[in-house]
Amino acid sequence: MKHCIWDIEVFDRGDDTFHSSKNTGLPFYKMPLLYNQYNKLVDIKIYTYSDGDPVQAWSKTGLEALACGLQVFNHKNEIVSELPIEFTPEYHCKCIMKVYENMVQK
């Protein structure tokens, strides 16, 4: 997070704050309630095997936060405000329709 100027709050997966019982995590259906308490999310994952470098991928959490209207600071040191087109339902529907159209033409 070399370039993120946001004040941050870190949620540790082992923390019991949002859990109904220890280490079970927040139920999926309650995630929008968590997202809607904030307007920004830092979506950076760093693992021991990555030698301190961010893993180059969007997380499900980051994509869900974008879908809920949050700004997301990502692995590319970018602040993103909209869900990337390749993750939208419209994009995938168009891709599926192309597959079906190709099947019908054969």
Side-chain angles (χ1 to χ4, degrees), residues 92-106:
H92 286 278
C93 287
K94 287 179 184 178
C95 291
I96 290 171
M97 290 307 295
K98 286 181 184 177
V99 170
Y100 287 140
E101 289 167 4
N102 287 336
M103 290 172 61
V104 171
Q105 291 175 2
K106 290 183 179 184

Side-chain angles (χ1 to χ4, degrees), residues 35-66:
Y35 297 139
N36 290 326
Q37 293 177 31
Y38 300 93
N39 56 17
K40 297 174 181 154
L41 176 92
V42 175
D43 184 26
I44 305 258
K45 298 178 294 274
I46 298 174
Y47 299 106
T48 52
Y49 68 79
S50 68
D51 294 324
D53 294 324
V55 177
Q56 302 296 308
W58 281 100
S59 72
K60 180 176 154 293
T61 303
L63 294 171
E64 288 173 346
L66 283 168

